[in-house]
Amino acid sequence: MTLAELIQGYRPHIEDASVGVRRSWEETFKYTLKHYPPETRLEDFDLEILAEKMSAEGIQPRFVDGYVKRWRDLLQQRRETRLPCQ
């Protein structure tokens, strides 16, 4: 599975969320795709490298930690349940 497939599969799960939550997730996706092409296989998606790139751009550590946690949780959910993309 690729990042694009995971993102597309997850979007329906945030449709009913508040505007702020949806916007936050879309920013997460947009920023990640700035550093990793959509066709990146999930096994090649390295959260530590993403964190390093974000830090190098001057993003505050709490935001970096939040992005990494969000991705880590989503990837864990994917592994455990085969969701959101079946």
Side-chain angles (χ1 to χ4, degrees):
M1 172 171 280
T2 66
L3 275 176
E5 292 167 332
L6 180 63
I7 291 168
Q8 286 305 106
Y10 193 67
R11 279 189 171 122
H13 296 271
I14 59 173
E15 285 178 352
D16 293 332
S18 69
V19 171
V21 169
R22 286 193 317 268
R23 184 176 298 138
S24 177
W25 271 104
E26 289 301 329
E27 286 297 317
T28 298
F29 299 151
K30 178 181 170 184
Y31 190 84
T32 299
L33 294 174
K34 176 180 171 184
H35 294 288
Y36 282 91
E39 61 276 0
T40 301
R41 307 278 317 151
L42 294 183
E43 55 269 14
D44 298 327
F45 179 44
D46 189 321
L47 292 172
E48 297 308 315
I49 291 174
L50 179 63
E52 288 173 15
K53 290 179 179 183
M54 292 175 73
S55 295
E57 290 183 356
I59 296 177
Q60 294 181 12
R62 68 184 181 109
F63 288 111
V64 173
D65 293 345
Y67 270 56
V68 170
K69 181 183 181 331
R70 178 174 270 182
W71 273 115
R72 196 167 272 130
D73 291 348
L74 182 56
L75 292 168
Q76 184 65 33
Q77 177 186 0
R78 169 74 179 127
R79 281 190 293 274
E80 290 175 358
T81 64
R82 302 297 296 169
L83 291 174
C85 310
Q86 291 185 340

